[in-house]
Amino acid sequence: MRLVHLDLKGAAPRVSYLEQVFPLLSQLGANGVLVEYEDMFPFKGELEILRSPYAYSEEDIERIQQLAEQHKLEVVPLVQTFGHVEFILKHEKYQHLREVERFPNSFNPHVPDTLALLKSILSQVIEKHRRSTWIHIGADEVFHLGEGMDSKNWMSHNKGDVGTMYLKHIKEVLNFLTAQYWGLRVLMWDDMLRKISVGALRASWGTVALVARACPSAVPFLTKYVESGFEAVWFASAFKGTTGPAQAWTPLSYHLKNHLSWLKVMQAVPRLAPLRLQGVVLTGWQRYDHYSVLCELLPVSIPSLAICLQTLVNGGFTEEAKRKVLDVLGLESVQLEQSTCEGRGAFPGVEIYHMVEQVNGHLKESILKALEEESAIKGWFSPYHRKHQFGNPRNMESFGSKVLKLHDDWESFVRDLRAQLDRIYFPDTVEEWMEENVNPYLDQLRDLVRDYR
């Protein structure tokens, strides 16, 4: 299976955009989507507090699944069950379930309310995904586990360590899922298991498949998982969102190399029988956690996704893979090292792709150049002049028309960009992306123009 990860804890696209993207995923060789809803899920009743103001409706969730079915994509929902639960634990109502009182990252596994809450979250998500045969329970990066008082007490009374305690909670979650939803298969990230001994891991893992994210040094971990009794493994590569929390432009060659490394690991799997490779998740993180800024938007990373999917399908970035990428995306050529594409492009959101390229490559540079290098501004319109509102009109006129034109050009560009973003994203995303990527530079120009006038 080749699942494309849709991380909705940031920049969740409107369903109308997914209508355009799903056929593309299918064409490029994906056969599933891993959907990490977080606060975009339409939680009901007690859980309504967890919903974002822009959360999808129940009809949207149904529509997403119909679209997926239409394009032969399996939908796998992802529900975090241990760490990365800031969207839950930030609420006062659930603060008492934190492992460490100050931090909203991870659940305290010793409070009975934790499992009760998880059961109700999982039930609501699974009920709305009756066609899905898989669920992903997250379980990665459980920061501060073992640091809470309850955990310290548990470990001292049970001669236990953090690993045993981690497994105890995961098994409770798995027991609930197997008892309640017969035949549902479970995926989980592997990173928390890497430090746990084979002895502690050896147990009934029949219902769960690990998703390994340790490339390119995955083979030692895989050997350990074989000894621990795991029968199936998945790999997780990345097509965006792993090169920095505030990354705005996707580095193509970096992500291609990641997939080429994974292909080498895949070739080693037959030697690890009875372990078998069941699938690959192409992760596309949209935020590093609920509180961090946005990384690359989905339209910006579509060329990277196309290259990565085709590399997996063809066993390398062959001429055939390259031709398919260019045909499907309507491009003339791809420059891997420069992370650029030539040609107008014909993929969903291509307008945003080109406009973000402009912002990324020229906005900051052109504004700072005008403000820093224009000697008339430095000499006759300094912060001091502006503060005390005086200046020589003769010198001010020497830079005025140039600065006003630059300002008008960027303002008109940004209006178009906003309109394009509005078609794909909800208002909170548009606002956040502008605040992070455009306003820090454009505001300096706006202020200068205001003072000049």
Side-chain angles (χ1 to χ4, degrees), residues 245-324:
Q247 183 77 20
W249 194 251
T250 311
L252 297 179
S253 68
Y254 176 92
H255 290 289
L256 172 58
K257 282 175 191 150
N258 176 250
H259 284 76
L260 295 174
S261 300
W262 274 116
L263 284 171
K264 287 194 184 119
V265 180
M266 286 175 197
Q267 285 156 11
V269 174
R271 301 201 298 273
L272 298 165
L275 193 70
R276 64 184 194 285
L277 176 63
Q278 265 180 332
V280 181
V281 177
L282 293 90
T283 62
W285 306 100
Q286 194 52 76
R287 291 188 197 285
Y288 282 25
D289 72 25
H290 188 73
Y291 283 89
S292 66
V293 299
L294 296 170
C295 27
E296 312 104 296
L297 297 172
L298 188 53
V300 168
S301 58
I302 280 182
S304 171
L305 175 57
I307 288 167
C308 296
L309 267 170
Q310 275 297 301
T311 296
L312 290 179
V313 170
N314 290 283
F317 194 48
T318 58
E319 276 308 310
E320 194 183 338
K322 194 172 183 177
R323 198 166 51 247
K324 175 89 180 217

Coordinates of all heavy atoms in Angstrom, one line a residue, residues 245-324:
P245 N 10.6 23.5 10.8 CA 9.2 23.8 11.2 C 8.6 25.0 10.5 O 7.4 25.1 10.3 CB 9.3 24.1 12.7 CG 10.7 24.4 13.0 CD 11.5 23.7 12.0
A246 N 9.4 25.9 9.9 CA 8.9 27.1 9.2 C 9.2 27.0 7.7 O 9.2 28.1 7.1 CB 9.4 28.4 9.9
Q247 N 9.5 25.9 7.2 CA 9.9 25.7 5.8 C 8.8 26.1 4.9 O 7.6 25.7 5.1 CB 10.3 24.2 5.6 CG 10.8 23.9 4.2 CD 12.2 24.3 4.0 OE1 13.0 24.5 4.9 NE2 12.6 24.5 2.7
A248 N 9.0 27.0 3.9 CA 7.9 27.4 3.0 C 8.0 26.8 1.7 O 7.0 26.7 0.9 CB 7.9 29.0 2.9
W249 N 9.2 26.4 1.3 CA 9.4 25.8 -0.1 C 10.0 24.4 0.0 O 11.0 24.2 0.8 CB 10.4 26.8 -0.9 CG 10.4 26.5 -2.3 CD1 11.4 26.0 -3.1 CD2 9.3 26.7 -3.3 NE1 11.0 25.8 -4.4 CE2 9.7 26.3 -4.5 CE3 8.0 27.3 -3.1 CZ2 8.9 26.4 -5.7 CZ3 7.2 27.3 -4.2 CH2 7.6 26.9 -5.5
T250 N 9.5 23.5 -0.7 CA 9.9 22.1 -0.6 C 11.2 21.8 -1.3 O 11.2 22.0 -2.6 CB 8.8 21.1 -1.1 OG1 7.5 21.6 -0.5 CG2 9.0 19.7 -0.7
P251 N 12.2 21.3 -0.7 CA 13.5 20.9 -1.3 C 13.3 19.6 -2.0 O 13.2 18.5 -1.4 CB 14.5 20.8 -0.2 CG 13.7 20.7 1.1 CD 12.3 21.1 0.8
L252 N 13.3 19.6 -3.4 CA 13.0 18.4 -4.1 C 14.1 17.3 -4.0 O 13.7 16.1 -3.7 CB 12.8 18.7 -5.6 CG 11.7 19.6 -5.9 CD1 11.6 19.9 -7.4 CD2 10.3 19.1 -5.5
S253 N 15.3 17.6 -4.1 CA 16.3 16.5 -4.1 C 16.4 15.9 -2.8 O 16.7 14.7 -2.6 CB 17.7 17.0 -4.6 OG 18.2 17.9 -3.6
Y254 N 16.2 16.7 -1.7 CA 16.2 16.1 -0.3 C 15.2 15.0 -0.2 O 15.5 13.9 0.3 CB 15.9 17.2 0.7 CG 15.8 16.7 2.1 CD1 17.0 16.7 2.9 CD2 14.6 16.3 2.6 CE1 16.9 16.3 4.2 CE2 14.6 15.8 3.9 CZ 15.7 15.8 4.7 OH 15.6 15.3 6.0
H255 N 14.0 15.2 -0.6 CA 12.9 14.3 -0.5 C 13.1 13.1 -1.4 O 12.7 11.9 -1.1 CB 11.5 14.9 -0.6 CG 11.2 15.8 0.5 ND1 10.9 15.3 1.8 CD2 11.2 17.2 0.7 CE1 10.8 16.4 2.6 NE2 10.9 17.5 2.0
L256 N 13.6 13.3 -2.6 CA 13.9 12.2 -3.5 C 14.9 11.3 -2.9 O 14.8 10.1 -2.9 CB 14.4 12.8 -4.9 CG 14.9 11.7 -5.9 CD1 13.9 10.7 -6.2 CD2 15.4 12.3 -7.1
K257 N 16.0 11.9 -2.3 CA 17.0 11.0 -1.7 C 16.4 10.2 -0.6 O 16.8 9.1 -0.4 CB 18.2 11.9 -1.2 CG 19.1 12.4 -2.2 CD 20.2 13.4 -1.7 CE 20.9 14.0 -2.9 NZ 21.4 15.4 -2.5
N258 N 15.5 10.8 0.2 CA 14.9 10.1 1.3 C 14.2 8.8 0.7 O 14.3 7.7 1.3 CB 13.8 11.0 2.0 CG 13.1 10.3 3.1 OD1 11.9 10.0 2.9 ND2 13.7 9.9 4.2
H259 N 13.5 8.9 -0.4 CA 12.8 7.8 -1.0 C 13.8 6.8 -1.6 O 13.6 5.5 -1.5 CB 11.8 8.2 -2.0 CG 10.6 8.8 -1.4 ND1 10.6 10.0 -0.8 CD2 9.3 8.2 -1.1 CE1 9.4 10.3 -0.3 NE2 8.6 9.2 -0.4
L260 N 14.9 7.2 -2.2 CA 15.9 6.3 -2.7 C 16.5 5.5 -1.6 O 16.8 4.3 -1.7 CB 16.9 7.1 -3.5 CG 16.4 7.8 -4.8 CD1 17.5 8.6 -5.4 CD2 15.9 6.8 -5.8
S261 N 16.7 6.2 -0.4 CA 17.2 5.4 0.8 C 16.2 4.4 1.2 O 16.6 3.2 1.6 CB 17.5 6.4 2.0 OG 18.4 7.4 1.6
W262 N 15.0 4.7 1.2 CA 14.0 3.7 1.7 C 13.9 2.5 0.7 O 13.7 1.4 1.1 CB 12.6 4.4 1.8 CG 12.4 5.0 3.1 CD1 12.2 6.3 3.4 CD2 12.3 4.3 4.4 NE1 12.0 6.5 4.8 CE2 12.1 5.3 5.4 CE3 12.5 3.0 4.8 CZ2 12.0 5.0 6.8 CZ3 12.4 2.7 6.2 CH2 12.1 3.6 7.1
L263 N 14.1 2.8 -0.6 CA 14.1 1.7 -1.6 C 15.2 0.7 -1.2 O 15.0 -0.5 -1.4 CB 14.3 2.2 -3.0 CG 13.0 2.9 -3.6 CD1 13.4 3.6 -4.9 CD2 11.9 1.9 -3.9
K264 N 16.3 1.2 -0.8 CA 17.4 0.3 -0.4 C 17.0 -0.6 0.8 O 17.3 -1.8 0.9 CB 18.7 1.1 0.0 CG 19.4 1.7 -1.2 CD 20.8 2.2 -0.9 CE 21.4 2.8 -2.0 NZ 21.8 4.2 -1.8
V265 N 16.3 0.1 1.8 CA 15.9 -0.7 3.0 C 14.8 -1.8 2.5 O 14.8 -2.9 3.0 CB 15.2 0.3 4.0 CG1 14.8 -0.5 5.2 CG2 16.2 1.3 4.5
M266 N 14.0 -1.4 1.6 CA 13.0 -2.3 1.1 C 13.6 -3.6 0.5 O 13.1 -4.7 0.6 CB 12.1 -1.7 0.0 CG 11.1 -0.7 0.6 SD 10.2 0.2 -0.7 CE 9.6 1.6 0.2
Q267 N 14.7 -3.3 -0.2 CA 15.4 -4.5 -0.8 C 16.0 -5.4 0.2 O 16.2 -6.6 -0.1 CB 16.6 -4.0 -1.7 CG 16.1 -3.4 -3.1 CD 17.0 -2.4 -3.7 OE1 18.2 -2.3 -3.2 NE2 16.6 -1.7 -4.7
A268 N 16.2 -4.9 1.4 CA 16.7 -5.8 2.5 C 15.7 -6.6 3.2 O 16.0 -7.6 3.9 CB 17.5 -4.9 3.5
V269 N 14.4 -6.2 3.1 CA 13.3 -6.8 3.8 C 13.2 -8.3 3.6 O 13.0 -9.1 4.6 CB 11.9 -6.1 3.6 CG1 10.8 -6.9 4.3 CG2 12.0 -4.7 4.2
P270 N 13.3 -8.8 2.3 CA 13.2 -10.3 2.2 C 14.1 -11.1 3.0 O 13.8 -12.2 3.4 CB 13.5 -10.5 0.7 CG 13.1 -9.2 0.0 CD 13.4 -8.1 1.1
R271 N 15.3 -10.5 3.4 CA 16.2 -11.3 4.2 C 15.7 -11.3 5.7 O 16.3 -12.1 6.5 CB 17.6 -10.5 4.2 CG 18.2 -10.4 2.9 CD 19.7 -10.2 3.0 NE 20.1 -9.0 3.7 CZ 20.3 -7.8 3.1 NH1 20.1 -7.6 1.8 NH2 20.6 -6.7 3.8
L272 N 14.7 -10.6 6.0 CA 14.2 -10.5 7.4 C 12.9 -11.4 7.6 O 12.2 -11.1 8.5 CB 13.9 -9.1 7.8 CG 15.1 -8.1 7.7 CD1 14.7 -6.7 7.8 CD2 16.1 -8.4 8.9
A273 N 12.7 -12.3 6.7 CA 11.5 -13.1 6.8 C 11.4 -13.7 8.3 O 12.5 -14.0 8.8 CB 11.5 -14.2 5.8
P274 N 10.3 -13.9 8.9 CA 8.9 -13.8 8.3 C 8.4 -12.4 8.2 O 7.2 -12.2 7.9 CB 8.1 -14.6 9.3 CG 8.8 -14.5 10.6 CD 10.2 -14.4 10.3
L275 N 9.2 -11.4 8.6 CA 8.7 -10.0 8.6 C 8.4 -9.6 7.1 O 9.2 -9.9 6.2 CB 9.8 -9.0 9.1 CG 9.3 -7.6 9.4 CD1 8.3 -7.6 10.6 CD2 10.5 -6.7 9.7
R276 N 7.2 -9.0 6.9 CA 6.9 -8.6 5.5 C 6.5 -7.2 5.5 O 5.9 -6.6 6.4 CB 5.8 -9.5 4.9 CG 4.5 -9.4 5.6 CD 3.4 -10.4 5.0 NE 2.1 -10.0 5.5 CZ 1.7 -10.2 6.7 NH1 2.4 -10.8 7.6 NH2 0.5 -9.8 7.1
L277 N 6.8 -6.5 4.4 CA 6.5 -5.1 4.2 C 5.1 -5.0 3.6 O 4.8 -5.6 2.6 CB 7.5 -4.5 3.2 CG 7.3 -3.0 2.8 CD1 7.4 -2.1 4.0 CD2 8.3 -2.6 1.7
Q278 N 4.3 -4.3 4.4 CA 2.9 -4.1 4.0 C 2.6 -2.8 3.2 O 1.6 -2.7 2.5 CB 2.0 -4.2 5.2 CG 1.4 -5.6 5.5 CD 0.6 -5.6 6.7 OE1 0.7 -4.8 7.6 NE2 -0.4 -6.5 6.8
G279 N 3.4 -1.8 3.5 CA 3.0 -0.5 2.9 C 4.0 0.6 3.2 O 4.9 0.4 4.1
V280 N 3.8 1.7 2.6 CA 4.6 2.9 2.8 C 3.7 4.1 3.0 O 2.7 4.2 2.3 CB 5.5 3.2 1.6 CG1 6.4 4.4 1.8 CG2 6.4 2.0 1.2
V281 N 4.0 4.9 4.0 CA 3.3 6.1 4.2 C 4.2 7.2 3.8 O 5.3 7.4 4.3 CB 2.9 6.3 5.7 CG1 2.2 7.7 5.9 CG2 2.0 5.2 6.2
L282 N 3.7 8.0 2.8 CA 4.5 9.2 2.4 C 4.0 10.4 3.3 O 2.9 10.9 3.1 CB 4.3 9.6 1.0 CG 4.8 8.5 0.0 CD1 3.8 7.5 -0.4 CD2 5.3 9.2 -1.3
T283 N 4.7 10.7 4.4 CA 4.3 11.7 5.3 C 4.4 13.1 4.7 O 5.4 13.4 4.0 CB 5.0 11.6 6.7 OG1 6.4 11.9 6.5 CG2 4.8 10.3 7.3
G284 N 3.5 13.9 5.1 CA 3.5 15.3 4.6 C 3.1 16.2 5.8 O 2.0 16.7 5.9
W285 N 4.0 16.4 6.8 CA 3.7 17.2 8.0 C 3.3 18.6 7.6 O 3.9 19.2 6.8 CB 4.8 17.1 9.0 CG 5.2 15.7 9.2 CD1 6.3 15.0 8.7 CD2 4.5 14.7 10.0 NE1 6.3 13.7 9.1 CE2 5.2 13.5 9.9 CE3 3.3 14.8 10.8 CZ2 4.8 12.4 10.6 CZ3 2.9 13.6 11.4 CH2 3.6 12.4 11.3
Q286 N 2.3 19.1 8.3 CA 1.8 20.5 8.0 C 2.1 21.4 9.2 O 2.2 22.6 9.1 CB 0.3 20.4 7.8 CG -0.3 21.7 7.2 CD 0.4 22.2 5.9 OE1 0.2 21.6 4.9 NE2 1.3 23.2 6.1
R287 N 2.3 20.8 10.4 CA 2.9 21.4 11.5 C 3.7 20.4 12.3 O 3.3 19.2 12.3 CB 1.8 21.9 12.5 CG 0.9 23.0 12.1 CD 0.1 23.4 13.3 NE -1.1 24.2 13.0 CZ -1.1 25.4 12.6 NH1 0.1 26.1 12.5 NH2 -2.2 26.1 12.3
Y288 N 4.7 20.8 13.1 CA 5.4 19.8 13.9 C 4.6 19.4 15.1 O 4.7 18.3 15.6 CB 6.8 20.4 14.3 CG 7.8 20.2 13.1 CD1 7.3 20.2 11.8 CD2 9.1 20.2 13.4 CE1 8.2 20.1 10.7 CE2 10.0 20.1 12.3 CZ 9.6 20.0 11.0 OH 10.4 19.9 10.0
D289 N 3.8 20.4 15.6 CA 2.8 20.0 16.6 C 1.7 21.1 16.6 O 1.8 22.0 15.8 CB 3.4 19.8 18.1 CG 3.8 21.1 18.7 OD1 3.3 22.2 18.4 OD2 4.7 21.1 19.6
H290 N 0.7 20.9 17.4 CA -0.5 21.8 17.4 C -0.1 23.2 17.6 O -0.9 24.1 17.2 CB -1.5 21.3 18.5 CG -2.8 22.0 18.4 ND1 -3.7 21.7 17.5 CD2 -3.4 22.9 19.2 CE1 -4.8 22.4 17.7 NE2 -4.6 23.2 18.7
Y291 N 1.0 23.5 18.2 CA 1.4 24.9 18.5 C 2.4 25.5 17.5 O 2.6 26.7 17.6 CB 2.0 25.0 19.9 CG 0.9 24.9 21.0 CD1 0.6 23.7 21.5 CD2 0.4 26.1 21.5 CE1 -0.4 23.6 22.6 CE2 -0.6 26.0 22.5 CZ -0.9 24.8 23.1 OH -1.9 24.7 24.1
S292 N 3.0 24.7 16.7 CA 4.1 25.3 15.8 C 3.5 26.0 14.6 O 2.3 25.8 14.3 CB 5.1 24.2 15.4 OG 4.4 23.3 14.6
V293 N 4.3 26.7 13.9 CA 3.8 27.4 12.7 C 3.6 26.4 11.5 O 3.9 25.2 11.7 CB 4.8 28.5 12.2 CG1 5.0 29.5 13.3 CG2 6.2 27.8 11.8
L294 N 3.1 26.9 10.4 CA 2.8 26.0 9.3 C 4.1 25.8 8.5 O 4.9 26.7 8.4 CB 1.8 26.7 8.3 CG 0.4 27.0 8.8 CD1 -0.3 27.9 7.9 CD2 -0.3 25.7 9.0
C295 N 4.3 24.5 8.0 CA 5.4 24.3 7.0 C 4.7 24.3 5.6 O 3.6 24.7 5.5 CB 6.3 23.2 7.3 SG 5.6 21.8 8.3
E296 N 5.4 23.8 4.6 CA 5.0 24.0 3.2 C 3.5 23.6 3.0 O 3.1 22.5 3.4 CB 5.8 23.1 2.3 CG 7.3 23.2 2.5 CD 7.9 22.0 3.2 OE1 7.5 21.8 4.4 OE2 8.7 21.2 2.6
L297 N 2.8 24.4 2.3 CA 1.4 24.2 1.9 C 1.4 23.0 0.9 O 2.3 22.8 0.1 CB 0.8 25.4 1.3 CG 0.7 26.6 2.2 CD1 0.2 27.9 1.4 CD2 -0.2 26.4 3.4
L298 N 0.3 22.3 0.9 CA 0.1 21.2 0.0 C 0.4 21.5 -1.5 O 1.1 20.8 -2.2 CB -1.3 20.5 0.2 CG -1.5 19.2 -0.5 CD1 -0.4 18.1 -0.2 CD2 -2.9 18.6 -0.1
P299 N -0.2 22.6 -2.1 CA 0.0 22.9 -3.5 C 1.5 23.1 -3.8 O 2.0 22.7 -4.9 CB -0.8 24.2 -3.7 CG -1.8 24.2 -2.7 CD -1.2 23.5 -1.5
V300 N 2.2 23.6 -2.8 CA 3.7 23.9 -3.0 C 4.4 22.6 -3.1 O 5.4 22.5 -3.8 CB 4.2 24.7 -1.9 CG1 5.7 24.8 -1.8 CG2 3.6 26.2 -1.9
S301 N 3.9 21.5 -2.4 CA 4.7 20.3 -2.4 C 4.2 19.2 -3.3 O 4.7 18.1 -3.3 CB 4.7 19.7 -0.9 OG 3.3 19.5 -0.6
I302 N 3.3 19.6 -4.2 CA 2.8 18.6 -5.1 C 3.9 18.0 -6.1 O 3.9 16.8 -6.3 CB 1.5 19.1 -5.9 CG1 0.3 18.9 -4.9 CG2 1.3 18.3 -7.2 CD1 -1.0 19.2 -5.4
P303 N 4.7 18.9 -6.6 CA 5.8 18.3 -7.5 C 6.7 17.3 -6.7 O 7.0 16.2 -7.2 CB 6.6 19.5 -7.9 CG 5.6 20.6 -7.9 CD 4.7 20.4 -6.7
S304 N 7.0 17.6 -5.4 CA 7.7 16.7 -4.6 C 7.0 15.4 -4.4 O 7.5 14.3 -4.5 CB 8.1 17.3 -3.2 OG 8.6 16.4 -2.4
L305 N 5.7 15.5 -4.1 CA 4.9 14.3 -3.9 C 4.8 13.4 -5.1 O 4.9 12.2 -5.1 CB 3.4 14.7 -3.5 CG 2.4 13.6 -3.3 CD1 2.8 12.6 -2.3 CD2 1.0 14.2 -2.9
A306 N 4.7 14.1 -6.3 CA 4.7 13.3 -7.6 C 6.0 12.6 -7.8 O 6.0 11.4 -8.2 CB 4.4 14.3 -8.7
I307 N 7.1 13.3 -7.6 CA 8.4 12.7 -7.7 C 8.6 11.5 -6.8 O 9.0 10.4 -7.2 CB 9.5 13.7 -7.5 CG1 9.6 14.7 -8.7 CG2 10.9 13.1 -7.3 CD1 10.4 16.0 -8.4
C308 N 8.2 11.7 -5.5 CA 8.3 10.6 -4.5 C 7.4 9.4 -4.8 O 7.9 8.2 -4.8 CB 8.0 11.1 -3.1 SG 9.2 12.4 -2.6
L309 N 6.2 9.6 -5.2 CA 5.3 8.5 -5.5 C 5.8 7.7 -6.7 O 5.9 6.5 -6.7 CB 3.9 9.0 -5.8 CG 2.9 9.1 -4.6 CD1 1.7 9.9 -5.0 CD2 2.5 7.7 -4.1
Q310 N 6.2 8.5 -7.7 CA 6.6 7.8 -9.0 C 8.0 7.0 -8.7 O 8.2 6.0 -9.4 CB 6.8 8.8 -10.1 CG 5.4 9.0 -10.8 CD 4.9 7.7 -11.5 OE1 5.6 7.1 -12.3 NE2 3.8 7.3 -11.1
T311 N 8.8 7.5 -7.8 CA 10.0 6.9 -7.5 C 9.7 5.5 -6.8 O 10.4 4.5 -7.1 CB 10.9 7.8 -6.5 OG1 11.2 8.9 -7.3 CG2 12.1 7.1 -6.1
L312 N 8.7 5.5 -5.9 CA 8.3 4.2 -5.3 C 7.7 3.3 -6.3 O 8.0 2.1 -6.3 CB 7.3 4.5 -4.2 CG 7.8 5.2 -2.9 CD1 6.7 5.4 -1.9 CD2 9.0 4.4 -2.3
V313 N 6.9 3.8 -7.2 CA 6.2 2.9 -8.2 C 7.2 2.3 -9.1 O 7.1 1.1 -9.5 CB 5.2 3.8 -9.0 CG1 4.7 3.0 -10.2 CG2 4.0 4.2 -8.1
N314 N 8.3 3.1 -9.5 CA 9.2 2.6 -10.6 C 10.5 2.1 -10.0 O 11.4 1.7 -10.7 CB 9.5 3.7 -11.5 CG 8.4 4.1 -12.4 OD1 8.1 3.4 -13.4 ND2 7.7 5.2 -12.1
G315 N 10.6 2.0 -8.6 CA 11.8 1.5 -8.0 C 13.0 2.4 -8.3 O 14.2 2.0 -8.3
G316 N 12.8 3.7 -8.5 CA 13.8 4.7 -8.7 C 13.3 5.9 -9.5 O 12.2 5.7 -10.1
F317 N 14.0 7.0 -9.5 CA 13.5 8.1 -10.3 C 14.0 7.9 -11.8 O 14.9 8.6 -12.2 CB 14.0 9.4 -9.7 CG 13.2 10.6 -10.3 CD1 11.8 10.6 -10.4 CD2 13.9 11.7 -10.8 CE1 11.1 11.7 -11.0 CE2 13.2 12.8 -11.3 CZ 11.8 12.8 -11.4
T318 N 13.4 7.0 -12.4 CA 13.8 6.6 -13.8 C 13.3 7.6 -14.8 O 12.5 8.5 -14.5 CB 13.2 5.2 -14.1 OG1 11.8 5.4 -14.0 CG2 13.7 4.1 -13.2
E319 N 13.8 7.4 -16.1 CA 13.3 8.3 -17.1 C 11.7 8.2 -17.2 O 11.0 9.2 -17.4 CB 13.9 7.9 -18.5 CG 15.3 8.5 -18.7 CD 15.3 10.1 -18.5 OE1 14.4 10.8 -19.1 OE2 16.2 10.5 -17.7
E320 N 11.2 7.0 -17.1 CA 9.8 6.8 -17.1 C 9.1 7.5 -16.0 O 8.0 8.2 -16.2 CB 9.5 5.3 -17.0 CG 8.1 4.8 -17.4 CD 7.9 3.3 -17.1 OE1 8.9 2.6 -17.1 OE2 6.7 2.9 -17.0
A321 N 9.6 7.4 -14.8 CA 9.0 8.2 -13.7 C 9.0 9.7 -13.9 O 8.0 10.3 -13.7 CB 9.9 7.8 -12.4
K322 N 10.1 10.2 -14.4 CA 10.3 11.6 -14.7 C 9.2 12.0 -15.7 O 8.6 13.1 -15.6 CB 11.7 11.9 -15.2 CG 12.1 13.3 -15.2 CD 13.6 13.5 -15.5 CE 14.0 14.9 -15.5 NZ 15.4 15.0 -15.7
R323 N 9.1 11.2 -16.8 CA 8.2 11.6 -17.9 C 6.7 11.6 -17.3 O 6.0 12.5 -17.6 CB 8.3 10.6 -19.0 CG 7.7 11.1 -20.3 CD 8.1 10.3 -21.6 NE 7.9 8.8 -21.4 CZ 8.9 7.9 -21.3 NH1 10.2 8.3 -21.3 NH2 8.6 6.7 -21.1
K324 N 6.4 10.6 -16.5 CA 5.1 10.6 -16.0 C 4.8 11.8 -15.1 O 3.7 12.4 -15.2 CB 4.9 9.3 -15.1 CG 3.6 9.1 -14.4 CD 2.6 8.5 -15.2 CE 1.3 8.3 -14.4 NZ 0.5 7.1 -14.6

